Amino acid sequence: MTARRYLVTGGSGFIGSALVRRLLSDGHTVRVLDNNSRGALRRLSGVEQDVEFLNADIRDAAAVRRAAQGIDSIVHLAYVNGTELFYSQPEFVLDVAVRGMLSVLDACREESVGELLLASSSEVYQTPPHVPTAEDVPLSVPDVLNPRYSYGGGKIACELMAINYGRTGFDRVMIVRPHNVYGPDMGWEHVLPQFILRAHDAIAAHPTGDVPFPIQGDGTQRRAFTHIDDFTDALLHVLHSGEHLEIYHAGNPDEMSIRDVVGEVFGHLGRTPTIIAGPAPAGATPRRCPDITKLSLLGFKPSISLRDGLPDMVDWYLSNLNLRPAMTAHQA
């Protein structure tokens, strides 16, 4: 790919920082816009001198426009992620979603940026009618009273705006729907980090024998997890070969039950869990797995299984317990 000038919104976040490193390694120029409310500059350690960093809120339209000046392509990743926050701060989640998307679209038009890649989510289709799930599945918000859907609903709004604004004045507008991207330093509110931290605590409380481990639901729920290195590779394939007004599911179609995920975490820690089933959270879906046929046609192929990718992640979290925030009600 010819060297280009990229703006990565949310570039000090988990996915954003990984993409920034990959773009730099491929010879591109990168500008990052983030306010570090959920990102962290440590994620850009070692490349901070190679990046132009703008500290700003994605909802600040003037700041986003300044960030877009002289840019060839914008990768819009800035968003509020983490299941805990969907429940506790739904208004904030939606505000960042809608105002942030409008700021980016307006900046593209005002600064003549012809290319936009939006990171959406598998949560836009909630419980799919068929699995593996292709990109043409209907999108839905099953219950507007459930704050969990602030996240998926916000992403649906972003997709609608990207596609419909993108019909005029753009060379390429593309959407990628990530599926359970994981890796070291991915944050603290997600399922895998919470499993790791709770496993650590449970083992400390039960130094011998099997370890009691409560979970939400019965553990038969199935998910397909995508390592961060595979996901950044997917993004590069879309940036290189993706088509205008197309949507791509990005993930690893290798499914695993939540019970087996717990077993993998404890296995790496040398212990055996006794899983204690509990009520499933409202809005949880029993199975989610992407059909990645469209992305595969661009040359993408995932290469890292959860079994291979999880150990480094477990080690990172246990080596960085000093960064751990206080647990909240939804995380406990």
Side-chain angles (χ1 to χ4, degrees), residues 68 128 157 189 215 231 255 258 293:
E189 304 91 354
I215 63 171
F231 184 68
E255 291 183 83
I258 296 301
T293 299

Side-chain angles (χ1 to χ4, degrees), residues 5 42 55-56 76 95 112-113 119 133 135 146 161 172 183 186 199 211 225 230 244 262 293 308 310 326:
R5 297 162 296 178
R42 68 169 182 274
N55 191 322
H76 182 36
D95 196 59
S112 300
V113 180
T133 305
E135 291 84 354
N146 186 338
M161 286 188 283
R172 286 199 307 165
M186 69 176 290
V211 184
F225 293 90
D230 278 340
H244 184 41
V262 172
T293 299
D308 291 337
L310 191 60

Side-chain angles (χ1 to χ4, degrees), residues 222-263:
R222 299 182 67 81
R223 295 291 185 268
F225 293 90
T226 312
H227 191 271
I228 184 62
D229 290 349
D230 278 340
F231 184 68
T232 53
D233 190 47
L235 289 177
L236 265 293
H237 276 82
V238 175
L239 285 170
H240 186 266
S241 304
E243 296 184 11
H244 184 41
L245 302 183
E246 285 291 346
I247 301 168
Y248 299 92
H249 281 179
N252 187 331
D254 183 16
E255 291 183 83
M256 185 176 289
S257 74
I258 296 301
R259 280 184 172 267
D260 288 342
V261 173
V262 172

Side-chain angles (χ1 to χ4, degrees), residues 4-322:
R4 307 189 74 202
R5 297 162 296 178
Y6 285 95
L7 169 62
V8 180
T9 73
S12 64
F14 167 56
I15 291 176
S17 59
L19 176 62
V20 167
R21 291 177 180 276
R22 178 66 182 273
L23 290 171
L24 289 171
S25 71
D26 287 351
H28 302 292
T29 300
V30 182
R31 181 180 295 158
V32 168
L33 184 142
D34 207 315
N35 65 357
N36 293 322
S37 61
R38 292 182 46 72
L41 286 176
R42 68 169 182 274
R43 293 193 177 109
L44 296 174
S45 176
V47 299
E48 62 269 25
Q49 300 302 317
D50 303 318
V51 172
E52 181 183 356
F53 185 87
L54 302 180
N55 191 322
D57 191 308
I58 192 63
R59 296 168 292 180
D60 183 341
V64 177
R65 179 173 180 178
R66 290 193 298 271
Q69 291 174 356
I71 291 296
D72 297 314
S73 177
I74 296 179
V75 182
H76 182 36
L77 296 165
Y79 205 81
V80 179
N81 204 347
T83 306
E84 157 63 19
L85 295 172
F86 309 165
Y87 289 100
S88 64
Q89 300 184 52
E91 181 180 350
F92 177 51
V93 172
L94 285 165
D95 196 59
V96 171
V98 175
R99 295 182 195 274
M101 188 75 246
L102 286 170
S103 293
V104 169
L105 289 167
D106 288 344
C108 285
R109 287 184 167 179
E110 291 163 354
E111 297 300 327
S112 300
V113 180
E115 182 174 288
L116 172 63
L117 173 60
L118 168 67
S120 183
S121 170
S122 59
E123 296 252 354
V124 295
Y125 57 76
Q126 304 304 331
T127 301
H130 50 81
V131 181
T133 305
E135 291 84 354
D136 59 358
V137 66
L139 310 187
S140 67
V141 175
D143 180 5
V144 296
L145 297 180
N146 186 338
R148 177 188 176 85
Y149 299 123
S150 59
Y151 179 83
K155 288 292 191 182
I156 291 172
C158 289
E159 288 200 14
L160 284 168
M161 286 188 283
I163 292 294
N164 289 292
Y165 277 61
R167 295 184 192 278
T168 58
F170 285 85
D171 300 317
R172 286 199 307 165
V173 173
M174 301 157 291
I175 295 172
V176 171
R177 293 180 186 151
H179 286 67
N180 293 308
V181 183
Y182 74 94
D185 201 7
M186 69 176 290
W188 304 89
E189 304 91 354
H190 307 275
V191 170
L192 289 179
Q194 289 181 21
F195 277 2
I196 293 166
L197 298 173
R198 290 179 52 231
H200 169 268
D201 294 345
I203 288 170
H206 300 84
T208 60
D210 290 355
V211 184
F213 193 78
I215 63 171
Q216 295 180 323
D218 62 7
T220 60
Q221 309 96 310
R222 299 182 67 81
R223 295 291 185 268
F225 293 90
T226 312
H227 191 271
I228 184 62
D229 290 349
D230 278 340
F231 184 68
T232 53
D233 190 47
L235 289 177
L236 265 293
H237 276 82
V238 175
L239 285 170
H240 186 266
S241 304
E243 296 184 11
H244 184 41
L245 302 183
E246 285 291 346
I247 301 168
Y248 299 92
H249 281 179
N252 187 331
D254 183 16
E255 291 183 83
M256 185 176 289
S257 74
I258 296 301
R259 280 184 172 267
D260 288 342
V261 173
V262 172
E264 290 293 328
V265 171
F266 274 88
H268 183 63
L269 297 174
R271 298 294 296 277
T272 301
T274 296
I275 293 176
I276 302 170
T285 185
R287 186 182 177 203
R288 187 177 288 139
C289 176
D291 179 338
I292 62 168
T293 299
K294 283 177 66 174
L295 191 59
S296 298
L297 293 174
L298 303 185
F300 171 74
K301 182 178 181 180
S303 61
I304 304 172
S305 69
L306 183 67
R307 290 184 176 88
D308 291 337
L310 191 60
D312 284 346
M313 180 180 176
V314 174
D315 292 343
W316 186 92
Y317 277 92
L318 297 188
S319 298
N320 290 276
L321 291 173
N322 59 303

